[in-house]
Amino acid sequence: MSDEQRIPTPDPPIRDLGYILNHLGEERAGYHGAVAPPLVQSSIFAFPTVAEMRLGFADEYAAHLYTRGNNPTVAILRKKVAALEGAEDCLAFASGAAAMAAAVFASVRAGDHVLCIAKPYSWTRGLLRDLLPKFGVSTSFVDGTDVANFENAIQAGTRLIVLESPNTMTYEQQDLAAVAVLARRHGLRTICDNSFATPLNQSPIAQGIDLVVHSATKYLNGHSDVVAGMLCGSEAILREVFKGPYMTFGAILSPHDAWLMIRGLRTLAVRMERVAASTARVLAYVEAHPKIRRVYHPQASTSEQADLSHRQLKRASGLLSIDIDTDDVAAVERFCNALRRFLMTVSWGGYESLAFPVCAVFPAGATVRVTPIPLSLVRLSIGLEDADDLIADLDQALARV
């Protein structure tokens, strides 16, 4: 197999953020000195001899044989995200849900048992609660804010712990280092969704977690134009994933989307700095507003995990949820409909500020307290707009409540 068709083995972890985002994996001498990497929009790769093609089949994890396995543009992205997470390697998927599903399917078999936090991302919950039982795998959902709850829920068949710290609606955290110690003691694998924090603000692998998942649709891409997922970990585990659900399910990231993500990563550091600064100001405003019952954010004054946030999160991101002080869903709708600088939509983590009202998921006429998460809750994602403009927009909208 030629050198051009083999993905380089991972280098030791690189701590130079600017180098990772702007240069790592970009062998410019190989493509005429172009500053932007090429988009290798090819489904297949040719070999000069049968012998070299045979070597490609022997190790598709490392070879550029077929883009369902590897592609040169995707390989650049993989190397950057792995370095950001301090991981040996990374696989790129068509969505964060696909990355989580592949990680879970590669870690369990019929008869196994999984532990998961009580309020994971909805599609993670659906995977564990609704899909895995069809294959003989059961799941217990536990309050992950106390590591003792995981230990008390371990069964003879437990093989996996699924974490999401912080989660994406109410931002409960898990003590990753403590869970990792517990998991190693019992021979369990751990997976953590790190989408909220990004690798810049939290390092699960450094805390002992085995696999890290990202909905790269969010901050890693940052421009609301790509749906993607990343899975980081040791090469040994990722080879298991690659041989099983990655190649079998085929939920891969396209070269074009990888190319867009490489472009998006260039500004990750400056975007997260701006988001953090604006979020601090918005957080202070909503915490003081009389029409807001409670604010959910790892750095909120009412957070019960302030010590863990200080120890585990370098800096929180721009997701926060506000519980509007009303039992009238129509009042929540008036607030949301009045927003002008916040786009009302799903997802988060792009350049634009967003609002996601929980009540939109339920039929009109539902009452505020029908669910564990009240219908008066609105999740906000703070983008790159001026903080004064965002606060003014929230102020005029809250006047409608």
Side-chain angles (χ1 to χ4, degrees):
M1 173 188 333
S2 64
D3 290 341
E4 291 78 12
Q5 291 168 318
R6 180 174 289 278
I7 296 174
T9 55
D11 296 325
I14 295 171
R15 304 304 177 196
D16 184 338
L17 180 59
Y19 178 75
I20 294 171
L21 298 178
N22 297 307
H23 304 294
L24 180 65
E26 301 184 48
E27 308 297 336
R28 295 186 174 99
Y31 36 87
H32 312 291
V35 173
L39 168 55
V40 182
Q41 191 67 52
S42 181
S43 60
I44 53 177
F45 301 89
F47 296 83
T49 68
V50 172
E52 291 185 75
M53 188 174 189
R54 185 176 290 117
L55 288 174
F57 275 111
D59 189 9
E60 280 195 73
Y61 183 87
H64 293 305
L65 172 74
Y66 186 41
T67 283
R68 180 159 56 87
N70 282 313
N71 173 279
T73 305
V74 179
I76 296 171
L77 175 65
R78 287 174 53 190
K79 192 162 189 175
K80 288 181 183 295
V81 176
L84 289 173
E85 279 290 359
E88 289 182 1
D89 206 348
C90 173
L91 292 174
F93 292 81
S95 68
M100 177 62 79
V104 170
F105 267 95
S107 302
V108 296
R109 60 186 180 183
D112 285 351
H113 173 250
V114 178
L115 293 176
C116 180
I117 63 165
K119 290 187 284 184
Y121 174 57
S122 59
W123 289 104
T124 300
R125 182 177 65 245
L127 166 71
L128 299 174
R129 184 193 63 194
D130 303 329
L131 185 59
L132 284 188
K134 297 179 181 180
F135 302 93
V137 178
S138 62
T139 299
S140 296
F141 296 91
V142 301
D143 178 358
T145 59
D146 186 344
V147 70
N149 294 334
F150 288 113
E151 185 152 28
N152 293 337
I154 291 175
Q155 303 176 9
T158 304
R159 296 291 178 268
L160 178 67
I161 300 178
V162 178
L163 309 169
E164 182 182 329
S165 187
N167 73 358
T168 56
M169 287 300 293
T170 49
Y171 317 112
E172 288 89 0
Q173 299 172 81
Q174 303 91 57
D175 187 330
L176 299 181
V179 174
V181 169
L182 171 69
R184 284 195 297 271
R185 189 164 71 243
H186 290 274
L188 312 180
R189 181 173 290 178
T190 50
I191 301 171
C192 181
D193 186 328
N194 198 30
S195 302
F196 174 100
T198 81
L200 274 59
N201 297 325
Q202 182 171 262
S203 302
I205 287 175
Q207 302 292 320
I209 300 300
D210 296 311
L211 291 169
V212 174
V213 169
H214 282 278
S215 175
T217 310
K218 278 69 172 180
Y219 287 122
L220 292 187
N221 179 57
H223 290 78
S224 298
D225 54 7
V226 169
V227 177
M230 310 300 291
L231 177 64
C232 302
S234 70
E235 182 179 323
I237 296 179
L238 290 184
R239 280 182 176 270
E240 291 179 23
V241 178
F242 184 87
K243 291 178 182 178
Y246 184 81
M247 291 293 285
T248 303
F249 297 160
I252 63 164
L253 188 67
S254 74
H256 182 253
D257 285 344
W259 186 84
L260 286 172
M261 273 204 62
I262 292 167
R263 186 178 66 170
L265 277 179
R266 307 292 195 202
T267 60
L268 177 63
V270 293
R271 283 189 284 109
M272 296 312 295
E273 288 174 6
R274 172 70 177 239
V275 164
S278 295
T279 300
R281 295 191 57 200
V282 172
L283 188 61
Y285 166 77
V286 293
E287 285 198 297
H289 201 286
K291 291 185 179 180
I292 294 178
R293 181 184 288 118
R294 180 177 176 182
V295 178
Y296 296 86
H297 187 272
Q299 294 177 336
S301 61
T302 55
S303 173
E304 298 174 356
Q305 296 182 291
D307 290 343
L308 183 59
S309 293
H310 180 74
R311 184 171 76 250
Q312 194 164 268
L313 283 173
K314 298 181 182 70
R315 181 172 57 200
S317 69
L319 270 189
L320 63 138
S321 296
I322 56 175
D323 186 359
I324 299 174
D325 192 11
T326 180
D327 290 330
D328 182 7
V329 174
V332 178
E333 293 186 16
R334 286 197 301 274
F335 163 77
C336 293
N337 293 343
L339 291 170
R340 295 295 174 261
R341 297 300 182 99
F342 290 81
L343 302 178
M344 190 159 38
T345 182
V346 297
S347 197
W348 45 272
Y351 60 88
E352 72 285 37
S353 293
L354 306 175
F356 172 66
V358 171
C359 64
V361 180
F362 296 87
T367 59
V368 163
R369 299 291 156 189
V370 297
T371 63
I373 298 178
L375 302 195
S376 50
L377 199 75
V378 179
R379 187 183 68 195
L380 303 176
S381 176
I382 305 304
L384 302 182
E385 299 91 343
D386 186 86
D388 287 335
D389 292 339
L390 297 178
I391 290 169
D393 193 29
L394 290 170
D395 198 60
Q396 63 86 20
L398 283 165
R400 312 294 180 93
V401 175

